[in-house]
Amino acid sequence: MRFSLFFLFFCNFIFSQIQYPKDYFRPPLDIPMQLSGNFGELRPNHFHAGFDLKTNQREGLNVYAVADGYVSRIKISTFGNGKCIYITHPNGYTTVYGHLQTAVGPIQDYIRKTHYSEKSFEIEMFPKPDELPVTKGQIIALSGNTGSSEGPHLHFEFRDTQTEFVINPMFFGFDQHLTDNKKPTISSLFVYPMDNTIVNQSKQPLLLNLSLQKDGTYLAGKVKANGKIGFGINAVDFDDVSKNRNGVFNVTGFLNGDPKYNYQFNTYSFDEMRFINAFIDYPRYKRSGQRVQKLFMKTPFALSIIKTDSLHGIIPVEPNLASSYRIEVSDYFGNLNSVTVPIEYDSETPIINEEPVTGKYFVRYNKDSNFEKDNMSVFFPANTFYEDFNLNFDVKNNWIYIHEDVVPVHSNFTVTIKDSTYSESLRDKLFIARLSGNSKIYNATTRKNDVFTIKSKILGQYGLVLDTIAPVIKINKEIQGKWITGVKNIQFTIGDALSGIKSYNGYLNGNWVLFEYDNKTRKITHTFDDALVAEGANDLKIEVVDNVGNSAIFETHFFRSQQK
């Protein structure tokens, strides 16, 4: 009965998708659609929430509203999606357009007005339904490379307007604009022993050999085990046009023909994004960069795309019972690849033992834990982690050592450092940094007298750092005392060696003016507006403040004529 219920649930999950509108939305670009990233692709700390659409390796392409609606949100950020527009449609869906170079028309006018009213480049707006209506096919923006983009492209999403769950754009008919006749590629397969199990004479995860069969499927080397095991795969997908390695759509593990574990990238919430670190073999990813997708949950976690049986994908290998485990990997177009793993019971003595446990302190993932030494401590609330583990903890040379970043962290833990050796005048210049190689990474630090506190989601080494050095401001092309009539913009490079830039402001003749910031190049740029520039002499001032309050000022003057 247990299997029957799961099988019915599984079939319902796979074959009874919500009926999304197929012909309601048009593409957001007017060039042939090519993907540089697809829905569900595995990214650092999150699953990709939409499509990354290629823009011929350049900026400035027209971006269109994919259907009638209204601009319901605009966010201008130096990171993430950069310049981003959200359009709410009357049929219950919202589309998102990210990494834009600039908005156009009334939308850009609305944005510019807000920049100046709030005196800030980074802004977020929520226009009312009647303020910025759009029609299907209307140009709303030009494509760009803003935010955390690694090259010119358009990030494009669908969301359920009510729940804000992201939805695979393929469901809205966008598969009609793509061609994919290629099977997903299964590049590697791993077996994981659990609870003192021995697999092929090893107590550590093993890479299995794969042999290509005549029918195009794979046969794995035999697994010999004496207890509970799980599997993990490294799989990617390619379409017929792009050379990009995209994520797969659907993966199912079958034991003797019965479905045991499945995930499908159809829809999920932003609250679930960080579960990617439990979804993959996180230690292997941090040490090798390889994202192995696990087909089991040692400790269950609430990621809605996963459907599984009562054992959560874990396979018990028992005496006198040979089994066959099959993994099927498919893309949205139904192209399917598979690998079969023969399994049999064996109790041979291990040649490869488990990795030695070096952590002195046992942490239960579902219990609060607090560790303290000298003047430093770390507090882990219950459910900070996904699984129990042995923690390395120590304090040496004024640094607190909190394991290393090979154990995934789901929610914030607290690091506290008490230090009374600095004078009161210097305490506001202190922050708690995380050591990353030779770099000291700033963390937003709160202080109460001589007690400093941060929240973090990354294990590692932390310590107090004093920052009394002002930020640096450099003009890219000298204009001091020069006539610059006809120059379209002015640009500076700003930076800070320790705590990082908190804010910057530009003033033209004493009035705040907009400078746009690009975090990739650390450049701020002001585009001249004749309405803001005085005829003849002009004074320009730039102020930059870092995260602990050190500031720098750059002042110059130039001449400009408005006469055409």
Side-chain angles (χ1 to χ4, degrees), residues 220-432:
K222 183 178 290 186
V223 168
K224 298 180 178 181
N226 66 342
K228 296 177 180 179
I229 61 173
F231 291 95
I233 60 164
N234 196 341
V236 295
D237 189 42
F238 298 88
D239 59 34
D240 291 359
V241 180
S242 171
K243 294 182 180 179
N244 291 80
R245 297 160 60 92
N246 295 320
V248 298
F249 174 63
N250 189 82
V251 177
T252 308
F254 300 86
L255 182 65
N256 299 325
D258 298 338
K260 294 295 180 181
Y261 198 89
N262 169 267
Y263 53 86
Q264 183 182 105
F265 289 102
N266 49 17
T267 178
Y268 40 83
S269 74
F270 284 96
D271 291 340
E272 299 178 87
M273 289 293 194
R274 200 168 177 87
F275 281 123
I276 188 174
N277 294 329
F279 178 82
I280 64 172
D281 181 343
Y282 188 82
R284 186 176 299 277
Y285 165 61
K286 296 305 293 187
R287 288 167 175 154
S288 70
Q290 187 179 33
R291 292 188 178 97
V292 175
Q293 304 160 49
K294 296 187 294 185
L295 300 179
F296 64 93
M297 290 187 282
K298 192 172 181 180
T299 302
F301 53 92
L303 179 56
S304 63
I305 63 169
I306 296 175
K307 309 301 174 188
T308 183
D309 65 357
S310 61
L311 297 179
H312 309 292
I314 294 173
I315 309 300
V317 182
E318 300 171 348
N320 305 317
L321 182 63
S323 301
S324 176
Y325 189 79
R326 187 176 80 258
I327 304 167
E328 292 187 352
V329 182
S330 61
D331 59 26
Y332 183 85
F333 296 86
N335 302 304
L336 185 145
N337 208 339
S338 68
V339 56
T340 300
V341 189
I343 303 171
E344 66 179 42
Y345 184 86
D346 189 284
S347 58
E348 291 184 350
T349 302
I351 296 174
I352 304 172
N353 287 309
E354 294 177 281
E355 289 187 14
V357 176
T358 57
K360 299 178 182 178
Y361 306 96
F362 186 68
V363 175
R364 295 190 182 278
Y365 81 96
N366 58 353
K367 301 288 185 182
D368 291 351
S369 299
N370 189 75
F371 300 92
E372 184 173 356
K373 183 178 179 182
D374 299 336
N375 61 332
M376 301 187 182
S377 66
V378 59
F379 173 67
F380 301 116
N383 299 308
T384 298
F385 303 103
Y386 302 106
E387 296 178 357
D388 301 343
F389 74 105
N390 288 86
L391 173 80
N392 280 314
F393 170 81
D394 204 353
V395 173
K396 295 184 292 186
N397 302 319
N398 295 319
W399 287 85
I400 182 171
Y401 290 72
I402 312 169
H403 210 75
E404 59 178 314
D405 185 21
V406 294
V407 174
V409 178
H410 187 72
S411 55
N412 282 323
F413 59 87
T414 303
V415 178
T416 302
I417 299 176
K418 184 176 182 179
D419 193 312
S420 58
T421 60
Y422 291 90
S423 66
E424 181 63 30
S425 62
L426 288 178
R427 286 177 185 173
D428 283 338
K429 303 299 182 184
L430 292 164
F431 67 94
I432 297 179

Side-chain angles (χ1 to χ4, degrees), residues 5 63 99 115 132 219 290 345 373 419:
L5 289 174
V63 177
H99 305 308
H115 280 309
L132 292 173
L219 178 65
Q290 187 179 33
Y345 184 86
K373 183 178 179 182
D419 193 312

